[in-house]
Structure formats: C-alpha cells, structure tokens
Amino acid sequence: MRSMTNVASGTSEIHSHRHSRLIEFQSYSLFQGTHLTLSGQYASKWCSSFDVDLKHEIFRQTCSFLVVRTPAVQPPSGLMFSSQSRFNLAFAAALIEGRIRPHFQPIVSLADQSITGFEVLARWFDEDQGSISPSVFVEYADRGGMLDDLLDLLMREAFKAAQQWPGHITLAFNVSPTQLRDCNLATRLHDAAIELGFSPSNVNIEITEASMLEDASLSTINKMRSLGCAISLDDFGTGYSSLTWLRTLPFSTVKIDTSFVRAMTGQKESRKIVTAVVGLGQSLGFSVIAEGVETTEQQELLTRIGCSSAQGHLFGRAVPAAEVLPMLAAAQPAPQGAHSRTRMSRDNLTYQASSLYQSSEILVLFVDNDLNIVNTGAGLYRFSEADPMRFKGHHISALPPAFAILIEELRAMDGVDENATASRVVTSHANERYSIIAQVVLDEMKDPIGYSIFGCPIETSTAPERRLYAVDR
C-alpha cells in the first residue's frame, strides 16, 4: 500500500487537496479490534470493537481520508463488513488507494446508434474480496456520510479522463437525497469541472423523486441548473408523484425504469406505460432515456415508439476510462436510413390527424377489433346526414353496409400485414363518389388494435390522398 510519506508529499493527486491531517493505523484489522496508534492529537488507544462514536471522533474531527497500513483480514464468513465503522475504514482506504474507480456506461441515440454520453458508475475491487457490488457499498457509504467523498472522486477522475474525448460527450452522475442537502454541492461540482476543463453544461445530474422532498434539495437543484447542468429524473414511473415534479421542476431528461423496459415486450401494460412516458417527454420537451435495454427486440420496439435514447448491456457494459476511446471509435453512427429519419412528435401527429378529422370533405373513421366506432371525423355526415359524434360507441352496422364490407374483406386476408388494405367506391347521400380505403391498425408489437377507414371525393382525391398517406405513414 502507499506509504504515509508518499501520501503526505502529495502524490495522491485526487485527494491531497482535501487532507487536513492524516491518521496512521499501524496495526489495526478491519474486522478484529487490535492495538491502534493514532498520530496527531490522539494518543494510542486499545479497542476491541471500533464503535460508532470513535468513528465519528476520527472521521468528523480528524480527517476526511485514512491510510490503513495493515494487511487485509478476511471478514467472517457470509459477512462483508461486521459494522458500519469497519466499512468506513475499508471504504476510506479504498478511496485513497485508488481501488474505487469510475466506470462509464454508454448512453446511445436510438436514431443513429451514436454514443452521446456516459453514466459514471463506481466500481470497487478488493484484492482479497474481489469485486464489491455497488448495491452493497453505496448503501453503507450513504449511512456513513461518505457519498460526498465518492462523488468528488468520480467527478474529478471522470472530468480528467474526458479531456481526451469528443467535446459533445455528456457525463451523468447519480446524486442521493442526502447529498442534495449539501449547499456546497454545486460549488464543488463547478470547481472540479473548471479546474479539469470540463463544461458544467455537459454534466447531467440524476436524481430520484425522494430527492425533492426538502427545500434544501430544491435549492441545490436550482444552483446546479444555474451552472448549466442538466437534471434527470431517474427511475421514472416507480414513485408516487412523478407528474407533479415534471410540472414544477425544469427537468431535461426522464429515465424510464428498467423494470418497465424489461417487461414491455411481454406485457401490454408495461408497453403502454413506456409509450405514454415517451409521448409525455415529447409533449413537455425533454428527452427520454430507456434504461436496462438488453435485447434487439427491446431496442426496435423503443425506436418504433419514438424513444430518443437508451442504455443497457445491449449497447455496452460500464468500462474503465482506458476503454472509452476504443468504444467511441467502434460506435460510429449508423448509415442514413430508416433508423436515422427525423420522427414527428406524437403531439404533431395528433394535430395533423385532428385537422383531417375536422375536415367536412374527408372521411376518417376508427373502429376497434369488435367493430365498435371509437372515433369519427366530420366527413361522416355526408354518409349519414346526422351528427357524426352520435355514432361513437355504436357498432359499424349503424353505418352504410359498404364500411362493414371493407373490414370483412380485410379480416378475410391471411395473416396480419400492416400494409394490407381493402378499398371500394362508395356514393354519399349527395351523390358524390368517394374512394374509401380500410387498413388494419397495429400497435408497437404488431398486434391489431382496430381498423382505420379513410375516404375522399374521387374528383378531388389527389391532394387529400397525399395528406392521408402522410398521416398514415
């Protein structure tokens, strides 16, 4: 391990700026209390258990980081840390010895498969215990008040590494509710970014709904926003008040929770939730990132839904900084084609379709799988001479027989083809000849959800048909 002389002389580049004084543990086991020697204002102590009070005495009054100069001792079987205090010692030693490092998981654009940024994740490797899961040490570090030290390390090392990367790359950091209570968080972030030449506007702070229940947290969020940082709402859909926060806080990004992404290909309910969140993001003007994408099927479905970005093992696991440049070189944008087309937002599609429904010349009709009329446009008046809205909820048999015949022709076709159509000429009550087309409507999983019927007068069909084709596509 690094000697006290080396650390004190400033070779610990990341943390030397925060050392107020150092403590030397000459013969302390992380899992068995033995003789403990402290330099500085504390004399030698004997302890059979390193209790919480002593931990606070050392960590809060003496220093931010420790140097442990004893061989690692295996913990009791089945127990990684026998107490919070022992964890704090091990965690502080790992920070200063460089055994906790940032790894980078790519966030990709679904439009062209290019990498737009990385989520910065902590990885802890111990020579004796191997890889220690973040699900274990993050919780311990939060309870011990050490997440700020971890975040400072991740930010400084990530900002330094990013000096070699393209300037558009963003870095996302997870910030806990307890960290947001620190009024100095925004200042620490700003100072680290400026010192290491990384633009705060390329920083994305990921928070959960639990982070926003206190005024102090909201103040910190606003300070980071004033620096130009983007704020992301993580694990969206798992809380109880997400829509309230979306309305009141200036989020830039919403991340769909992994549980919905994994279930959406097999559960219609999860698929509808993902579709609704994507539509909500398009309506409110923020980007949507789907987390936990592991299969091509999930990727293709998210693309059809209109989701803008994704991350997950399909696109790459979290890698150390040295592997980022090769990953960026390998992830060249996809050729211009189907996946790179600019998609209209759902709002714009709705507005365009609405203009057709309001037209008195064009017939627009949608019926469900049971042939009940779900919606109809003003043009239906030409075939019924009654208020079109009165037909909503009625069976299609309430309309002229030609409409039901079209759908029966579609049903008689083998298989489900999104391009299959049935058409015929129908005469309105005003003796106008209409070209009527019926088509199956499929959801994102290619399951039929109903039938659309479009029609326009044959004499003026060219322009309206182009409009109908654009909406249909």
Side-chain angles (χ1 to χ4, degrees), residues 267-333:
Q267 296 180 3
K268 183 176 292 187
E269 293 77 12
S270 294
R271 187 162 64 250
K272 289 180 178 179
I273 290 174
V274 173
T275 302
V277 174
V278 171
L280 187 63
Q282 293 172 343
S283 298
L284 296 179
F286 51 71
S287 61
V288 177
I289 300 176
E291 296 185 283
V293 180
E294 298 181 347
T295 68
T296 302
E297 183 182 14
Q298 293 169 348
Q299 174 196 349
E300 292 175 348
L301 177 55
L302 288 166
T303 302
R304 291 199 298 270
I305 289 173
C307 185
S308 57
S309 302
Q311 70 180 100
H313 291 167
L314 179 67
F315 309 107
R317 296 177 181 271
V319 298
E323 298 180 25
V324 168
L325 279 176
M327 177 180 284
L328 288 170
Q332 294 298 323

Side-chain angles (χ1 to χ4, degrees), residues 341-372:
R341 292 179 303 183
T342 301
R343 297 179 61 93
M344 291 183 66
S345 71
R346 292 181 179 272
D347 276 352
N348 288 339
L349 288 172
T350 299
Y351 296 147
Q352 188 175 7
S354 178
S355 68
L356 294 175
Y357 272 87
Q358 295 170 10
S359 172
S360 61
E361 292 185 3
I362 299 173
L363 171 67
V364 185
L365 191 68
F366 178 71
V367 299
D368 61 22
N369 288 327
D370 296 324
L371 303 189
N372 295 315

